Amino acid sequence: MAIRPMTTVRHAITALLLFVAALACVEFWMKGQATPPMTVVTTQTCSRNQPLLVPSEAFHHDLKPSTKTSMRLAERNANQVVRVNSLGCRGDEVANRAPQGTYRILILGDDTICGLSVEANATVAARLQQFLESNAAKNESENSGARSDFAAEFEVINGGVPGYCPLLSWLKFEHTLSRLKPNLVILHVDMTDIADDASYRSLMQAEERLAVCRHATFRLKPKAANPVLQYVSQSATASWLFAKARHRGPELLSVPPAAATCDIGLNWITDNVPDLRLQVRHALAPIKDLRDAVNQSGGQLLVTTSPVLWQVMSGDDAPVLTSRCGIKGVTPFESKFPFEVISRFCEQSRIHFFDASPAFRNENAEKLFSKEEPILSRLGMALYAREIAKTLFKDPPSQWSE
C-alpha cells in the first residue's frame, strides 16, 4: 500500500486542531468552575484570612478597607459577615473624634484581637465594650446614681489585623489610626509576635518623617510580561494541574502554613528557652515608639498579654495544631519567662502592663483556645476582655501617674 504524505499531514493537522479545540473546551468549562487562585499576602496568618488582606506600603499589610464579605466561622459550621471600615478596622465607620462624654479605646493586636474566627459581637473589642458598660452601670447603681471615676460611656474600636506584631501595630497607628485620638490604646502582645517581627523587620525603611515597612510587592521591579507565561498563569487548566501537583507534592509546592514559620516565636515559651535575646529585644522595642505616638496624640497606652494553648494545657488535646506548630517537649510548659520579659520591659519603659494569663489556668482551660489556630476561642476572647475590663476599673487610667 502506497504511503501518501499529504494524507498523513492532513490527518496530523486534523488531530492537532481537534486537540486544540478539546483543550479550549476544557479551559472554557474549567474557567466557569474554578475559583480564583489565592494570593498569600503574609505567611504569618492562616490561609482563610488571606482574601481579607491587602499589601501596604507603610505597614506591610492591612485589612481591605471599606469591604463587606462573608467567611466561615472557625468554631461553628456557619458563615459570618465581616465588615471593614475605611481605616482598615473591623466594624462600622467611626468618627475622627469620639462623641462628647465617650471614653474611646483603640485595641491593637493580631488574629486574636481581629477575631475573624468569631462574629463581630464576640471579638475581644466587642466583649470589652460590653463588660465596661456593664461595670459602669453596676457601679452607678451601687453608688446611688453617681457616675464612675473611669467613664460611663465607652467606645472600643477593633484595630487588630491578622499577622500583626508590635512593629506593625505601631506603624499603623502612626500612619492611620492616630487621627482617632483615642483616650486609651490597648496593645495585645501575642506569644507569636517574636516570629512575626523577625519576618517583617528586614522590610523596614526609614523615610523622611515616618518609618515604613513596605510589602515586598512594592519593592519588586516590574518585568515585561511574557505572553506565553501570562496565558499559562491565567489558565484554569494550568491552575488545576498545579493544584494536583501541589496535592501530590506538598513539601515542594505548597505555601507553608503560618504556624510553620513561628518556630522562633514559639520556642521562647518552652521550658528550655534558646538564646533569642536579640529577637525578643527587636520585637518589643516598637512598643516604646507606640507609647510615644499615643502620648503625642493625647492618649495613654496599656500593654496586655494572654497565653497560648501550650502554656496552659497539654498539646495532646490539639494534636494537629501542635504538630503544625512544631511544638516539642512536655506540655503545658511551666516557664513564665515570656510574661516576665514583657512585664520587665514595660516596667523599665514606664508603660502600664496587664498579664491575663493567671485567669486562663482553670478547669475549663480546654474551652479557651482554638484547636485550628494558635489563638483564643470564643470563650477565651470573652475571658480576656472581662479581665481587661476588671483591671481598668480597679486601676483607672485617670489615676495613672505620668
Side-chain angles (χ1 to χ4, degrees):
M1 182 177 176
I3 298 178
R4 299 179 179 180
M6 294 304 297
T7 301
T8 303
V9 171
R10 281 199 300 271
H11 288 168
I13 293 175
T14 301
L16 180 61
L17 292 175
L18 289 174
F19 175 76
V20 172
L23 189 62
C25 291
V26 170
E27 175 70 14
F28 181 78
W29 179 80
M30 293 195 72
K31 276 188 178 293
Q33 303 293 320
T35 56
M38 183 187 70
T39 300
V40 178
V41 178
T42 174
T43 58
Q44 300 307 107
T45 188
C46 65
S47 59
R48 66 186 297 272
N49 295 335
Q50 301 297 332
L52 273 175
L53 302 179
V54 61
S56 168
E57 288 193 87
F59 32 87
H60 191 268
H61 67 277
D62 197 9
L63 290 173
K64 289 182 180 178
S66 304
T67 59
K68 177 182 176 182
T69 187
S70 177
M71 65 184 299
R72 184 183 68 85
L73 289 170
E75 296 185 30
R76 299 181 180 178
N77 188 20
N79 288 340
Q80 64 165 327
V81 175
V82 176
R83 288 182 174 86
V84 181
N85 64 28
S86 58
L87 293 177
C89 295
R90 184 176 178 184
D92 298 326
E93 291 293 333
V94 293
N96 280 348
R97 293 281 183 175
Q100 185 69 26
T102 298
Y103 191 88
R104 172 173 281 180
I105 298 175
L106 172 66
I107 183 165
L108 305 174
D110 60 357
D111 307 59
T112 285
I113 299 304
C114 186
L116 293 179
S117 60
V118 300
E119 303 95 330
N121 61 4
T123 62
V124 174
R127 292 294 194 188
L128 178 58
Q129 180 162 333
Q130 295 166 17
F131 286 123
L132 289 173
E133 291 173 346
S134 176
N135 286 349
K138 181 180 178 181
N139 286 350
E140 185 174 347
S141 175
E142 292 177 350
N143 295 306
S144 303
R147 290 194 170 187
S148 167
D149 292 336
F150 185 15
E153 300 293 333
F154 296 91
E155 179 188 36
V156 182
I157 301 172
N158 187 347
V161 180
Y164 261 34
C165 59
L167 172 64
L168 300 189
S169 293
W170 159 55
L171 291 176
K172 183 171 182 179
F173 183 85
E174 282 271 34
H175 287 269
T176 302
L177 300 181
S178 58
R179 71 185 68 172
L180 296 175
K181 301 295 182 182
N183 301 96
L184 178 66
V185 174
I186 299 176
L187 173 67
H188 165 68
V189 177
D190 196 80
M191 295 296 109
T192 61
D193 283 348
I194 308 303
D196 295 339
D197 182 90
S199 175
Y200 305 131
R201 183 157 294 276
S202 62
L203 299 174
M204 282 285 292
Q205 289 182 322
E207 300 287 345
E208 290 184 4
R209 293 179 61 252
L210 295 174
V212 299
C213 182
R214 186 167 287 118
H215 193 276
T217 56
F218 293 102
R219 305 179 69 175
L220 299 175
K221 295 182 179 179
K223 297 181 179 180
N226 185 305
V228 176
L229 293 178
Q230 190 173 17
Y231 173 79
V232 171
S233 66
Q234 297 175 353
S235 168
T237 307
S239 297
W240 179 82
L241 291 173
F242 286 136
K244 288 296 182 182
R246 187 180 295 114
H247 177 71
R248 295 293 181 181
E251 70 283 358
L252 297 176
L253 298 176
S254 66
V255 176
T261 65
C262 292
D263 289 344
I264 294 176
L266 292 180
N267 270 342
W268 81 312
I269 73 172
T270 64
D271 291 329
N272 298 308
V273 183
D275 188 358
L276 296 173
R277 285 175 294 181
L278 180 62
Q279 291 90 336
V280 172
R281 190 181 308 122
H282 281 166
L284 299 182
I287 299 178
K288 291 183 180 179
D289 298 310
L290 177 61
R291 174 204 60 193
D292 296 340
V294 171
N295 290 344
Q296 189 174 4
S297 70
Q300 295 172 290
L301 176 65
L302 170 67
V303 173
T304 66
T305 191
S306 63
V308 288
L309 181 149
W310 305 278
Q311 293 171 307
V312 177
M313 50 189 286
S314 172
D316 295 337
D317 295 321
V320 176
L321 181 63
T322 299
S323 175
R324 183 156 60 89
C325 290
I327 300 296
K328 299 178 181 178
V330 179
T331 54
F333 298 122
E334 296 181 359
S335 173
K336 304 298 187 295
F337 174 74
F339 308 108
E340 294 170 353
V341 167
I342 302 172
S343 176
R344 187 162 58 250
F345 172 86
C346 290
E347 182 180 0
Q348 293 174 350
S349 306
R350 301 179 64 82
I351 298 172
H352 274 72
F353 170 68
F354 172 64
D355 175 15
S357 61
F360 285 81
R361 298 185 176 92
N362 59 54
E363 64 276 7
N364 295 318
E366 69 280 357
K367 298 180 181 179
L368 302 177
F369 302 93
S370 169
K371 303 301 190 298
E372 295 187 4
E373 305 168 43
I375 61 174
L376 300 179
S377 68
R378 181 188 310 272
L379 290 177
M381 293 178 188
L383 175 62
Y384 192 24
R386 188 193 72 184
E387 294 302 307
I388 294 174
K390 286 170 59 178
T391 194
L392 287 177
F393 269 90
K394 182 178 179 181
D395 183 19
S398 59
Q399 298 180 11
W400 294 356
S401 59
E402 293 297 330

